[in-house]
Amino acid sequence: MSNKTDSNVYTILFAIGMVVVVGTLLAFTAASLKPNIAENVRLEKQQNILYAMGVNENDESSAVFVDKAQAPELFKQYITKQLVIQGDDISEDDEAYLIDIKKQKAIGKDDPSKRKLPLFVGEKDGKTYYVAPIYGKGLWDAIWGYVSMDENMVVQGAYFDHKGETPGLGANIKERFFMDDFIGEHLLGDNGTFKGIDVAKGNADPKNENKTDNEVDAIAGATITGNGVTAMIKSDLKLYKPYFDNLKNN
Amino acid sequence: MGLLSKKDAKLITDPLADNNPITIQVLGICSALAITAELKASIVMAISVLFVLGVGNVVISLMRNIIPSKIRIIVQLTVVAALVIIVDQVLKAFAYELSKTLSVFVGLIITNCIIMGRFEAFALGNGPWKSFLDGIGNALGYGVILIIVGFFRELLGSGTLLGFKVLGDPIEKTGLYAIGYENNGFMLLSPMALIVVGIIIWVQRSRNKELIED
Amino acid sequence: MEHIELFFKSIFIDNMVFATFLGMCSYLAVSKKVSTAVGLGAAVIFVLAVTVPVNWLLDQYILQPGALKWLGAEYADYDLSFLSFIMFIATIATMVQLVEIVVEKFSPSLYNSLGIFLPLIAVNCAILGGSLFMQSREIETIGLAFNYGFSSGIGWFLAILAIAAIREKIRYSNVPAPLRGLGITFIITGLMAIGFMSFGGMLTGGDDEGKEETQTAKVEQVNENEDNKLAENTTTINE
C-alpha cells in the first residue's frame, strides 16, 4: 500500500466515489430491468393460479406449469371471475391476481374489515374451482401458495412456493409429493367448522389415504417450514369461510 | 496443462487437496452446512461460487492499488454484493426460472467467507490472472467438498441421488427397503453435515500425514 | 413477556451457531483458547447489538416497499428492498471499522487484546444473518430489534466459549492423530448442535388456542426422541 491511499482525504473521496458508482449501477440495472421483472412475476402468478386448479403440464413426478406464452390466454379461458372480498363487500376486479397478499395481511392486522381477499373462480370440465392465495413464514423467509377448493372447501389442488427455504428440506414444499398430498383433503372438520390442514409429523397415514383427517404427512427434517404451511393455511383460508357459507345458503 | 506454467497450475490444484478451503483453511463452512442436504443444491452452489469467486477476485485484483486500506473491508463486501445483486436482477429479468432456483443462494454467496477470505489473502496482493486462477482453484476445492457431503447426505438421508430413487421406494418397500433397510432421517439435519465434514478431514489427513495438527 | 421470550429463544432455540450455522468460520478458527474466544465473542455481541437496530431503522424507513412514505405521498410507491443486502453490509462494515478506529484511539490496551478480531467480525456471517433474519421475521419495534441482536450475540458468545473450553481440555485426550484439531472440532460441534436441538421443545408447550398465528410461527424444531439420547452424549463430552 502506498502512502497516498492511506490519507483521510483519499479514503473519503474513494468512499464517496464508490457509493456513487455502485449506487448508479444498481439503480440503473434495477430501473431498466423493472418492466421485465414485473412481467415475469405477473405471468408466474397466472401460472400458479392455473396450476392450483389443475391446469398444468405435469408429467409423472415433476410439477410443470403451462407455457409462459400461453398463460394469459389460458388464464382468461379458465378463470371466469376474479373476486375481491373486503369485509362484507364482494366486487369483481380483473387485476385481483396482482393484489399483494403480504401488504393486505399487514392491513388486516390493524383492521380486518379493510383487508382485501382475492378469490379466483375458475371452471374446468364443467366443475367450478375456487382458488385462494395464502402467505406466511417458513424457517428463513417468506412462503406462499395458492389453494383451489370446491364449494365444500375440499382441496382440489395446491401450489406452494418459498423464497429461501433449505434446499432438500423445507424447499421440498414445492415438490409434487408434498403438494399432491393436499388434493382431496377437507378443510372443514366433521361438524362443518373450519379446521384447516395440519402438516403432521408421525402421521399414522403416510400414504395419505384418509382424506378427512385434516392432516398430511410432513417432510422429514423440515418441521418449521411445515408448521409455516399449517399456519398460513389456517390463518388465511379461514377468512374465506364466510364466503363459502353464503354460497351454500343462496 | 500446456497453457499454464507450473506455478500457475499449482494455484488451481493446491486448493483441491492440500490447501482445501473448507478442510484446511476453514472458509465457507456455513454454506457447506446449510445446503448440502441435496446433491443438486450442492452442485448449483458450487457453480455459483465458481463464477462469483473467479470474477470477484479479478475485480479486486484490478482495484488493489487504489483501495484505501482503512475501508478495504467495505469495498470488498460492496463489490461482491453489487456483483451478486446485478447478476440476480439480470437473471430475474431474462431467465426467470433459473433465477428462482438460484434465489436461495444469493444471500449465502454474499455472506460466504470463502469469497472475502480469498480477496483478503490473495487478490489484494496479486495480479488479475493469478487471482483468477486462485479463485477458480479455491472454488473447485470448495465445490468438491460440497458435492461429497451432498452425495452422502442425500444418499443416506433420503435414499435418492439428484432426486432419483437409487435405493428403491421406501413406501412401496422395493429395492433395498425390501430387506429392511431404512433411510437415516438424521442425515438430513444440518449437524450431520458437520460430522460428515469431520470424517472427510479424518480421511484426508490420514492419507497425508503432513496436514496433521499437533 | 415478549422480550423475555425473544431473549431466550434467540440464545438457545435459534442459537446462531447450532441452529442456523452462521458464523461458523470464525467460530472454528478462533476457538483454540478460551481467552481469545471471549474477546471475539464480546465483540460479536457488541456489533450485533448495534447493527441490528440500525439496520432495522434502515429497513423501516428506507428499504421496505412503501417505507419512503415519510418523504411525502409521492414516494410511497418506491420499493428499494433489492438494496437490502448492500445497505446492511455497508452498515456492518462501517460499524466494524468505526469501532476499530474508536477503540484504537481511546483504549489502546483494549485494542491490543481485541483489535485483531474486529476486522474478522465484518466477514462473520452471523452478523449479516442477524440483520437478514430481523428483516424476514418482521420484528416489530426497535426495542425488540435491539433485544434480538443482543441476545443472538450472547448465543454466539456461549457457543464459542463452550467449544473453546472443550478444545482446551481435549488437548489432553488421546484423539486419533488425523482427527486432532479441526476434525474433532467439527464432530464435537455437530454433537453439540444435536444437543441444542432439544431446546426446541422449550417454547412449544403451553396454550395452543388464542394467538394461533404467533404461536405457530414460534413453534420450533420439535425433535424426535433420538435427539435426547444424543444430547446425553454431548453432556458426557462436556464433562
Side-chain angles (χ1 to χ4, degrees), chain B residues 23 26 28-30 33 70-71 73-74 77 82 85 89 106-107 110-111 113 116 186 190-191 194 197-198 201-202 205-206 212-213, chain C residues 21 23-25 28 82 85-86 89 93 97 119 122-123 125 128 177-183 186 189-190 193-194 197 226-227 230:
Chain B
T23 59
V26 207
I29 312 285
C30 320
L33 302 171
K70 274 184 199 148
I71 55 166
I73 296 172
I74 311 181
L77 284 171
I85 293 175
Q89 296 267 326
V106 173
I110 298 181
T111 52
C113 37
M116 279 290 300
F186 225 53
S190 312
L194 277 166
V197 176
I201 293 178
W202 192 355
R205 293 190 185 178
S206 347
I212 294 175
E213 295 171 43
Chain C
F21 301 94
M24 268 290 164
C25 309
L28 291 165
F82 68 93
F85 274 124
I86 209 156
I89 284 183
Q97 272 187 337
V123 286
C125 36
L128 184 62
L179 260 182
R180 247 172 245 161
L182 199 56
F186 266 98
T189 311
I194 294 168
M197 287 175 116
E226 60 211 82
D227 294 359
L230 276 147

Short mmCIF file of all heavy atoms in Angstrom, two decimals, chain B residues 23 26 28-30 33 70-71 73-74 77 82 85 89 106-107 110-111 113 116 186 190-191 194 197-198 201-202 205-206 212-213, chain C residues 21 23-25 28 82 85-86 89 93 97 119 122-123 125 128 177-183 186 189-190 193-194 197 226-227 230:
data_model
loop_
_atom_site.label_atom_id
_atom_site.label_comp_id
_atom_site.label_asym_id
_atom_site.label_seq_id
_atom_site.Cartn_x
_atom_site.Cartn_y
_atom_site.Cartn_z
N THR B 23 -11.58 -27.81 4.36
CA THR B 23 -11.00 -28.68 5.37
C THR B 23 -9.68 -28.16 5.94
O THR B 23 -9.29 -28.56 7.02
CB THR B 23 -10.76 -30.09 4.81
OG1 THR B 23 -9.89 -29.99 3.69
CG2 THR B 23 -12.04 -30.74 4.38
N VAL B 26 -10.53 -23.54 6.59
CA VAL B 26 -11.74 -23.26 7.37
C VAL B 26 -12.47 -22.04 6.84
O VAL B 26 -12.77 -21.09 7.57
CB VAL B 26 -11.43 -23.04 8.86
CG1 VAL B 26 -12.65 -23.40 9.68
CG2 VAL B 26 -10.27 -23.85 9.30
N GLY B 28 -15.86 -20.73 4.40
CA GLY B 28 -17.09 -21.13 3.70
C GLY B 28 -17.80 -22.31 4.32
O GLY B 28 -18.46 -23.08 3.64
N ILE B 29 -17.71 -22.43 5.64
CA ILE B 29 -18.33 -23.56 6.30
C ILE B 29 -19.86 -23.42 6.33
O ILE B 29 -20.59 -24.39 6.11
CB ILE B 29 -17.86 -23.69 7.75
CG1 ILE B 29 -16.36 -23.60 7.83
CG2 ILE B 29 -18.36 -24.97 8.37
CD1 ILE B 29 -15.63 -24.79 7.38
N CYS B 30 -20.33 -22.20 6.61
CA CYS B 30 -21.77 -22.01 6.84
C CYS B 30 -22.57 -22.59 5.69
O CYS B 30 -23.50 -23.35 5.86
CB CYS B 30 -22.12 -20.54 7.00
SG CYS B 30 -20.93 -19.61 7.95
N LEU B 33 -22.79 -26.28 5.23
CA LEU B 33 -23.71 -27.00 6.10
C LEU B 33 -25.15 -26.79 5.67
O LEU B 33 -25.98 -27.69 5.74
CB LEU B 33 -23.55 -26.50 7.53
CG LEU B 33 -22.16 -26.63 8.09
CD1 LEU B 33 -22.07 -25.91 9.40
CD2 LEU B 33 -21.84 -28.08 8.25
N LYS B 70 -7.91 1.55 4.94
CA LYS B 70 -8.82 1.71 6.07
C LYS B 70 -10.21 1.17 5.77
O LYS B 70 -10.91 0.72 6.67
CB LYS B 70 -8.94 3.19 6.45
CG LYS B 70 -7.86 3.63 7.39
CD LYS B 70 -8.07 5.08 7.81
CE LYS B 70 -6.78 5.64 8.36
NZ LYS B 70 -6.67 7.08 8.06
N ILE B 71 -10.65 1.30 4.56
CA ILE B 71 -12.02 0.87 4.29
C ILE B 71 -12.05 -0.31 3.33
O ILE B 71 -13.03 -0.55 2.64
CB ILE B 71 -12.90 2.02 3.74
CG1 ILE B 71 -12.27 2.63 2.50
CG2 ILE B 71 -13.15 3.07 4.79
CD1 ILE B 71 -13.23 3.50 1.73
N ILE B 73 -12.41 -3.44 3.77
CA ILE B 73 -13.44 -4.46 4.01
C ILE B 73 -14.75 -4.04 3.36
O ILE B 73 -15.42 -4.83 2.69
CB ILE B 73 -13.63 -4.68 5.51
CG1 ILE B 73 -12.34 -5.24 6.10
CG2 ILE B 73 -14.78 -5.62 5.78
CD1 ILE B 73 -12.34 -5.32 7.59
N ILE B 74 -15.11 -2.75 3.57
CA ILE B 74 -16.36 -2.27 2.98
C ILE B 74 -16.28 -2.40 1.46
O ILE B 74 -17.24 -2.83 0.81
CB ILE B 74 -16.60 -0.79 3.33
CG1 ILE B 74 -16.41 -0.58 4.82
CG2 ILE B 74 -17.97 -0.34 2.89
CD1 ILE B 74 -16.64 0.82 5.27
N LEU B 77 -16.70 -6.05 0.36
CA LEU B 77 -18.05 -6.54 0.51
C LEU B 77 -18.98 -5.90 -0.51
O LEU B 77 -19.86 -6.55 -1.08
CB LEU B 77 -18.57 -6.25 1.93
CG LEU B 77 -18.03 -7.17 3.01
CD1 LEU B 77 -18.41 -6.66 4.39
CD2 LEU B 77 -18.55 -8.57 2.82
N ALA B 82 -22.61 -6.10 -4.90
CA ALA B 82 -23.09 -5.48 -6.13
C ALA B 82 -23.09 -6.50 -7.27
O ALA B 82 -24.06 -6.61 -8.03
CB ALA B 82 -22.22 -4.28 -6.49
N ILE B 85 -25.95 -8.99 -6.76
CA ILE B 85 -27.27 -8.40 -6.96
C ILE B 85 -27.53 -8.16 -8.45
O ILE B 85 -28.62 -8.43 -8.96
CB ILE B 85 -27.42 -7.09 -6.16
CG1 ILE B 85 -27.40 -7.41 -4.67
CG2 ILE B 85 -28.71 -6.39 -6.52
CD1 ILE B 85 -27.41 -6.20 -3.79
N GLN B 89 -30.54 -9.73 -10.57
CA GLN B 89 -31.57 -8.95 -11.26
C GLN B 89 -31.65 -9.29 -12.74
O GLN B 89 -32.73 -9.41 -13.31
CB GLN B 89 -31.28 -7.44 -11.10
CG GLN B 89 -31.35 -6.95 -9.67
CD GLN B 89 -32.72 -6.41 -9.31
OE1 GLN B 89 -33.39 -5.84 -10.14
NE2 GLN B 89 -33.14 -6.62 -8.08
N VAL B 106 -28.39 -16.50 -3.20
CA VAL B 106 -27.86 -15.15 -3.27
C VAL B 106 -27.29 -14.71 -1.92
O VAL B 106 -26.14 -14.29 -1.83
CB VAL B 106 -28.96 -14.18 -3.74
CG1 VAL B 106 -28.48 -12.75 -3.64
CG2 VAL B 106 -29.37 -14.50 -5.16
N GLY B 107 -28.09 -14.86 -0.87
CA GLY B 107 -27.64 -14.44 0.45
C GLY B 107 -26.44 -15.24 0.91
O GLY B 107 -25.49 -14.70 1.47
N ILE B 110 -23.17 -14.01 -0.77
CA ILE B 110 -22.64 -12.75 -0.27
C ILE B 110 -21.98 -12.95 1.09
O ILE B 110 -20.93 -12.39 1.37
CB ILE B 110 -23.75 -11.68 -0.16
CG1 ILE B 110 -24.31 -11.41 -1.55
CG2 ILE B 110 -23.20 -10.40 0.43
CD1 ILE B 110 -25.39 -10.37 -1.57
N THR B 111 -22.60 -13.77 1.95
CA THR B 111 -22.04 -13.95 3.29
C THR B 111 -20.98 -15.03 3.34
O THR B 111 -20.47 -15.35 4.39
CB THR B 111 -23.13 -14.34 4.29
OG1 THR B 111 -23.84 -15.45 3.76
CG2 THR B 111 -24.06 -13.21 4.56
N CYS B 113 -17.74 -16.67 3.55
CA CYS B 113 -16.45 -16.09 3.92
C CYS B 113 -15.33 -16.57 3.00
O CYS B 113 -14.26 -16.00 2.99
CB CYS B 113 -16.11 -16.32 5.38
SG CYS B 113 -16.60 -17.89 6.03
N MET B 116 -14.62 -13.48 0.77
CA MET B 116 -13.85 -12.45 1.46
C MET B 116 -12.45 -12.95 1.78
O MET B 116 -11.47 -12.23 1.66
CB MET B 116 -14.54 -12.10 2.77
CG MET B 116 -15.67 -11.15 2.64
SD MET B 116 -15.09 -9.53 2.21
CE MET B 116 -14.04 -9.20 3.63
N PHE B 186 -31.79 -38.72 10.10
CA PHE B 186 -30.83 -37.89 10.81
C PHE B 186 -29.84 -37.21 9.88
O PHE B 186 -29.39 -36.11 10.13
CB PHE B 186 -30.08 -38.80 11.77
CG PHE B 186 -29.94 -38.20 13.12
CD1 PHE B 186 -31.06 -37.73 13.78
CD2 PHE B 186 -28.71 -38.09 13.72
CE1 PHE B 186 -30.94 -37.16 15.03
CE2 PHE B 186 -28.58 -37.52 14.96
CZ PHE B 186 -29.70 -37.06 15.63
N SER B 190 -28.86 -30.59 9.69
CA SER B 190 -27.58 -29.92 9.46
C SER B 190 -26.42 -30.40 10.33
O SER B 190 -25.30 -30.45 9.85
CB SER B 190 -27.73 -28.42 9.61
OG SER B 190 -28.83 -27.97 8.89
N PRO B 191 -26.64 -30.74 11.60
CA PRO B 191 -25.49 -31.18 12.40
C PRO B 191 -24.73 -32.34 11.75
O PRO B 191 -23.51 -32.44 11.90
CB PRO B 191 -26.11 -31.63 13.72
CG PRO B 191 -27.35 -30.86 13.84
CD PRO B 191 -27.85 -30.66 12.45
N LEU B 194 -21.78 -31.39 9.65
CA LEU B 194 -20.55 -31.13 10.40
C LEU B 194 -19.79 -32.43 10.60
O LEU B 194 -18.57 -32.49 10.45
CB LEU B 194 -20.89 -30.56 11.77
CG LEU B 194 -21.17 -29.07 11.86
CD1 LEU B 194 -21.81 -28.76 13.19
CD2 LEU B 194 -19.86 -28.31 11.75
N VAL B 197 -18.23 -33.65 7.37
CA VAL B 197 -17.01 -32.89 7.07
C VAL B 197 -15.88 -33.35 7.98
O VAL B 197 -14.74 -33.53 7.54
CB VAL B 197 -17.24 -31.37 7.20
CG1 VAL B 197 -15.94 -30.62 6.98
CG2 VAL B 197 -18.27 -30.89 6.22
N GLY B 198 -16.21 -33.58 9.25
CA GLY B 198 -15.20 -34.07 10.19
C GLY B 198 -14.57 -35.37 9.70
O GLY B 198 -13.36 -35.55 9.75
N ILE B 201 -12.24 -34.78 6.82
CA ILE B 201 -10.95 -34.30 7.32
C ILE B 201 -10.11 -35.47 7.82
O ILE B 201 -8.91 -35.57 7.54
CB ILE B 201 -11.16 -33.28 8.45
CG1 ILE B 201 -11.82 -32.02 7.90
CG2 ILE B 201 -9.85 -32.93 9.13
CD1 ILE B 201 -12.12 -30.99 8.95
N TRP B 202 -10.74 -36.35 8.51
CA TRP B 202 -10.07 -37.53 9.05
C TRP B 202 -9.42 -38.33 7.92
O TRP B 202 -8.22 -38.63 7.94
CB TRP B 202 -11.09 -38.39 9.80
CG TRP B 202 -10.50 -39.48 10.64
CD1 TRP B 202 -9.19 -39.83 10.73
CD2 TRP B 202 -11.22 -40.33 11.52
NE1 TRP B 202 -9.05 -40.87 11.61
CE2 TRP B 202 -10.27 -41.20 12.11
CE3 TRP B 202 -12.56 -40.48 11.87
CZ2 TRP B 202 -10.63 -42.18 13.03
CZ3 TRP B 202 -12.91 -41.45 12.78
CH2 TRP B 202 -11.95 -42.29 13.36
N ARG B 205 -6.54 -36.37 6.20
CA ARG B 205 -5.32 -36.24 6.98
C ARG B 205 -4.65 -37.58 7.25
O ARG B 205 -3.45 -37.62 7.51
CB ARG B 205 -5.60 -35.49 8.29
CG ARG B 205 -5.96 -34.07 7.98
CD ARG B 205 -6.02 -33.19 9.17
NE ARG B 205 -6.49 -31.87 8.71
CZ ARG B 205 -6.71 -30.84 9.47
NH1 ARG B 205 -6.50 -30.93 10.76
NH2 ARG B 205 -7.12 -29.69 8.98
N SER B 206 -5.43 -38.65 7.23
CA SER B 206 -4.72 -39.93 7.39
C SER B 206 -3.95 -40.26 6.13
O SER B 206 -2.96 -40.97 6.17
CB SER B 206 -5.66 -41.09 7.71
OG SER B 206 -6.91 -40.66 8.04
N ILE B 212 -1.46 -33.12 9.57
CA ILE B 212 -1.91 -33.35 10.94
C ILE B 212 -1.47 -32.21 11.86
O ILE B 212 -0.32 -31.78 11.82
CB ILE B 212 -1.36 -34.70 11.45
CG1 ILE B 212 -1.99 -35.83 10.65
CG2 ILE B 212 -1.62 -34.87 12.93
CD1 ILE B 212 -1.46 -37.19 10.98
N GLU B 213 -2.41 -31.72 12.66
CA GLU B 213 -2.08 -30.67 13.63
C GLU B 213 -1.58 -31.33 14.91
O GLU B 213 -1.90 -32.46 15.20
CB GLU B 213 -3.34 -29.87 14.00
CG GLU B 213 -3.91 -29.08 12.85
CD GLU B 213 -5.26 -28.47 13.21
OE1 GLU B 213 -5.39 -27.97 14.33
OE2 GLU B 213 -6.16 -28.52 12.38
N PHE C 21 -26.31 -22.28 11.97
CA PHE C 21 -24.95 -22.50 11.44
C PHE C 21 -24.36 -21.25 10.80
O PHE C 21 -23.72 -21.32 9.77
CB PHE C 21 -24.93 -23.66 10.47
CG PHE C 21 -25.38 -24.91 11.13
CD1 PHE C 21 -26.68 -25.30 11.06
CD2 PHE C 21 -24.49 -25.63 11.89
CE1 PHE C 21 -27.11 -26.42 11.74
CE2 PHE C 21 -24.92 -26.75 12.57
CZ PHE C 21 -26.23 -27.15 12.49
N GLY C 23 -21.82 -17.90 11.17
CA GLY C 23 -20.63 -17.51 11.90
C GLY C 23 -19.72 -18.67 12.21
O GLY C 23 -18.92 -18.64 13.14
N MET C 24 -19.84 -19.73 11.40
CA MET C 24 -19.06 -20.94 11.64
C MET C 24 -17.57 -20.72 11.45
O MET C 24 -16.74 -21.32 12.15
CB MET C 24 -19.49 -22.02 10.65
CG MET C 24 -20.56 -22.91 11.17
SD MET C 24 -19.89 -23.92 12.45
CE MET C 24 -21.37 -24.49 13.22
N CYS C 25 -17.21 -19.91 10.45
CA CYS C 25 -15.80 -19.84 10.09
C CYS C 25 -14.97 -19.29 11.23
O CYS C 25 -14.00 -19.91 11.66
CB CYS C 25 -15.61 -18.98 8.84
SG CYS C 25 -16.69 -19.49 7.52
N LEU C 28 -14.90 -21.65 14.24
CA LEU C 28 -13.95 -22.75 14.20
C LEU C 28 -12.51 -22.26 14.27
O LEU C 28 -11.64 -22.89 14.86
CB LEU C 28 -14.15 -23.58 12.93
CG LEU C 28 -15.44 -24.38 12.90
CD1 LEU C 28 -15.71 -24.87 11.49
CD2 LEU C 28 -15.36 -25.55 13.86
N PHE C 82 -34.45 -4.37 -2.97
CA PHE C 82 -33.33 -5.05 -3.63
C PHE C 82 -31.99 -4.52 -3.13
O PHE C 82 -30.95 -5.13 -3.35
CB PHE C 82 -33.42 -4.91 -5.16
CG PHE C 82 -33.22 -3.51 -5.67
CD1 PHE C 82 -31.97 -3.08 -6.05
CD2 PHE C 82 -34.29 -2.63 -5.76
CE1 PHE C 82 -31.77 -1.79 -6.51
CE2 PHE C 82 -34.10 -1.34 -6.24
CZ PHE C 82 -32.85 -0.92 -6.60
N PHE C 85 -29.34 -6.06 0.90
CA PHE C 85 -28.06 -6.71 1.14
C PHE C 85 -26.94 -5.69 1.25
O PHE C 85 -26.18 -5.67 2.21
CB PHE C 85 -27.72 -7.65 -0.02
CG PHE C 85 -28.30 -9.00 0.13
CD1 PHE C 85 -29.12 -9.54 -0.84
CD2 PHE C 85 -28.03 -9.75 1.26
CE1 PHE C 85 -29.65 -10.80 -0.70
CE2 PHE C 85 -28.55 -11.01 1.41
CZ PHE C 85 -29.37 -11.52 0.42
N ILE C 86 -26.88 -4.84 0.25
CA ILE C 86 -25.73 -3.95 0.17
C ILE C 86 -25.79 -2.91 1.28
O ILE C 86 -24.78 -2.55 1.87
CB ILE C 86 -25.67 -3.35 -1.24
CG1 ILE C 86 -24.24 -3.04 -1.60
CG2 ILE C 86 -26.55 -2.15 -1.40
CD1 ILE C 86 -24.02 -3.00 -3.08
N ILE C 89 -24.82 -4.67 4.57
CA ILE C 89 -23.39 -4.93 4.61
C ILE C 89 -22.60 -3.66 4.84
O ILE C 89 -21.67 -3.60 5.64
CB ILE C 89 -22.94 -5.62 3.31
CG1 ILE C 89 -23.38 -7.08 3.36
CG2 ILE C 89 -21.45 -5.54 3.13
CD1 ILE C 89 -22.94 -7.87 2.19
N ALA C 93 -20.05 -3.16 7.88
CA ALA C 93 -18.63 -2.88 7.66
C ALA C 93 -18.26 -1.53 8.23
O ALA C 93 -17.20 -1.36 8.84
CB ALA C 93 -18.31 -2.96 6.18
N GLN C 97 -15.57 -0.92 11.27
CA GLN C 97 -14.37 -0.10 11.14
C GLN C 97 -14.40 1.11 12.05
O GLN C 97 -13.38 1.54 12.56
CB GLN C 97 -14.14 0.25 9.68
CG GLN C 97 -13.32 -0.90 9.10
CD GLN C 97 -12.83 -0.71 7.73
OE1 GLN C 97 -13.37 0.06 6.94
NE2 GLN C 97 -11.81 -1.45 7.40
N PRO C 119 -11.66 -6.77 12.57
CA PRO C 119 -11.91 -6.91 11.13
C PRO C 119 -12.53 -8.26 10.79
O PRO C 119 -13.32 -8.36 9.85
CB PRO C 119 -10.51 -6.81 10.51
CG PRO C 119 -9.64 -6.27 11.55
CD PRO C 119 -10.26 -6.57 12.86
N ALA C 122 -16.51 -8.39 10.50
CA ALA C 122 -17.26 -7.95 9.33
C ALA C 122 -17.57 -9.12 8.41
O ALA C 122 -18.59 -9.13 7.73
CB ALA C 122 -16.48 -6.88 8.58
N VAL C 123 -16.68 -10.11 8.37
CA VAL C 123 -16.93 -11.25 7.49
C VAL C 123 -17.66 -12.37 8.22
O VAL C 123 -17.91 -13.41 7.65
CB VAL C 123 -15.62 -11.82 6.90
CG1 VAL C 123 -15.10 -10.91 5.85
CG2 VAL C 123 -14.61 -12.08 7.97
N CYS C 125 -20.58 -14.26 9.14
CA CYS C 125 -21.92 -14.21 8.55
C CYS C 125 -23.02 -14.16 9.59
O CYS C 125 -24.16 -13.85 9.27
CB CYS C 125 -22.14 -15.34 7.56
SG CYS C 125 -21.37 -16.89 7.99
N LEU C 128 -24.41 -10.47 9.47
CA LEU C 128 -25.35 -10.19 8.38
C LEU C 128 -26.60 -11.05 8.54
O LEU C 128 -27.71 -10.59 8.32
CB LEU C 128 -24.69 -10.47 7.02
CG LEU C 128 -25.56 -10.11 5.82
CD1 LEU C 128 -25.88 -8.64 5.78
CD2 LEU C 128 -24.91 -10.53 4.52
N ALA C 177 -4.64 -39.22 15.58
CA ALA C 177 -3.84 -38.11 15.08
C ALA C 177 -4.48 -37.33 13.93
O ALA C 177 -4.50 -36.11 13.96
CB ALA C 177 -2.46 -38.63 14.68
N PRO C 178 -5.03 -37.99 12.90
CA PRO C 178 -5.56 -37.20 11.80
C PRO C 178 -6.79 -36.39 12.19
O PRO C 178 -7.15 -35.43 11.51
CB PRO C 178 -5.96 -38.26 10.76
CG PRO C 178 -5.31 -39.52 11.19
CD PRO C 178 -5.13 -39.43 12.65
N LEU C 179 -7.45 -36.76 13.26
CA LEU C 179 -8.64 -36.04 13.67
C LEU C 179 -8.31 -34.85 14.56
O LEU C 179 -9.14 -34.00 14.80
CB LEU C 179 -9.56 -36.97 14.46
CG LEU C 179 -10.74 -37.59 13.72
CD1 LEU C 179 -11.53 -38.43 14.69
CD2 LEU C 179 -11.62 -36.52 13.11
N ARG C 180 -7.08 -34.81 15.06
CA ARG C 180 -6.71 -33.78 16.02
C ARG C 180 -6.94 -32.39 15.45
O ARG C 180 -6.73 -32.15 14.27
CB ARG C 180 -5.25 -33.94 16.42
CG ARG C 180 -5.11 -34.33 17.88
CD ARG C 180 -3.69 -34.67 18.19
NE ARG C 180 -3.58 -36.08 18.54
CZ ARG C 180 -2.45 -36.76 18.51
NH1 ARG C 180 -1.35 -36.19 18.09
NH2 ARG C 180 -2.42 -38.01 18.88
N GLY C 181 -7.36 -31.47 16.30
CA GLY C 181 -7.55 -30.11 15.85
C GLY C 181 -8.90 -29.94 15.17
O GLY C 181 -9.94 -30.14 15.78
N LEU C 182 -8.84 -29.62 13.90
CA LEU C 182 -10.06 -29.25 13.19
C LEU C 182 -11.09 -30.38 13.12
O LEU C 182 -12.27 -30.17 13.35
CB LEU C 182 -9.68 -28.81 11.77
CG LEU C 182 -10.72 -27.97 11.05
CD1 LEU C 182 -11.08 -26.75 11.87
CD2 LEU C 182 -10.18 -27.57 9.69
N GLY C 183 -10.61 -31.58 12.81
CA GLY C 183 -11.54 -32.68 12.60
C GLY C 183 -12.42 -32.95 13.80
O GLY C 183 -13.65 -32.98 13.69
N PHE C 186 -15.03 -30.24 14.41
CA PHE C 186 -16.22 -30.38 13.58
C PHE C 186 -17.19 -31.36 14.21
O PHE C 186 -18.39 -31.11 14.34
CB PHE C 186 -15.84 -30.90 12.18
CG PHE C 186 -15.64 -29.81 11.17
CD1 PHE C 186 -14.37 -29.36 10.86
CD2 PHE C 186 -16.72 -29.26 10.52
CE1 PHE C 186 -14.18 -28.37 9.93
CE2 PHE C 186 -16.54 -28.27 9.58
CZ PHE C 186 -15.27 -27.83 9.28
N THR C 189 -18.79 -30.12 17.38
CA THR C 189 -19.80 -29.11 17.10
C THR C 189 -21.08 -29.76 16.61
O THR C 189 -22.18 -29.37 17.00
CB THR C 189 -19.28 -28.12 16.03
OG1 THR C 189 -17.99 -27.69 16.42
CG2 THR C 189 -20.20 -26.94 15.91
N GLY C 190 -20.93 -30.77 15.78
CA GLY C 190 -22.12 -31.48 15.30
C GLY C 190 -22.90 -32.08 16.45
O GLY C 190 -24.12 -31.92 16.54
N ALA C 193 -24.60 -29.41 18.40
CA ALA C 193 -25.76 -28.89 17.70
C ALA C 193 -26.95 -29.81 17.88
O ALA C 193 -28.08 -29.36 18.10
CB ALA C 193 -25.45 -28.71 16.22
N ILE C 194 -26.69 -31.11 17.82
CA ILE C 194 -27.78 -32.06 18.04
C ILE C 194 -28.33 -31.89 19.45
O ILE C 194 -29.54 -31.90 19.68
CB ILE C 194 -27.29 -33.50 17.80
CG1 ILE C 194 -26.94 -33.68 16.33
CG2 ILE C 194 -28.35 -34.50 18.20
CD1 ILE C 194 -26.19 -34.95 16.03
N MET C 197 -30.56 -28.94 19.74
CA MET C 197 -31.88 -29.10 19.12
C MET C 197 -32.94 -29.46 20.15
O MET C 197 -34.11 -29.20 19.96
CB MET C 197 -31.83 -30.19 18.06
CG MET C 197 -31.09 -29.74 16.82
SD MET C 197 -30.96 -31.11 15.71
CE MET C 197 -31.90 -30.49 14.36
N GLU C 226 -34.73 -39.49 19.60
CA GLU C 226 -33.33 -39.82 19.41
C GLU C 226 -32.41 -38.64 19.71
O GLU C 226 -31.29 -38.82 20.15
CB GLU C 226 -33.10 -40.32 17.99
CG GLU C 226 -33.46 -39.32 16.93
CD GLU C 226 -33.94 -40.00 15.66
OE1 GLU C 226 -35.12 -40.38 15.61
OE2 GLU C 226 -33.13 -40.15 14.75
N ASP C 227 -32.92 -37.44 19.53
CA ASP C 227 -32.11 -36.26 19.83
C ASP C 227 -31.68 -36.26 21.28
O ASP C 227 -30.57 -35.92 21.63
CB ASP C 227 -32.90 -34.98 19.58
CG ASP C 227 -33.20 -34.84 18.13
OD1 ASP C 227 -32.75 -35.73 17.39
OD2 ASP C 227 -33.85 -33.89 17.75
N LEU C 230 -28.85 -38.42 21.98
CA LEU C 230 -27.57 -37.86 21.56
C LEU C 230 -27.19 -36.68 22.42
O LEU C 230 -26.02 -36.40 22.62
CB LEU C 230 -27.64 -37.49 20.09
CG LEU C 230 -27.35 -38.74 19.27
CD1 LEU C 230 -28.13 -38.73 17.99
CD2 LEU C 230 -25.88 -38.83 19.00
#
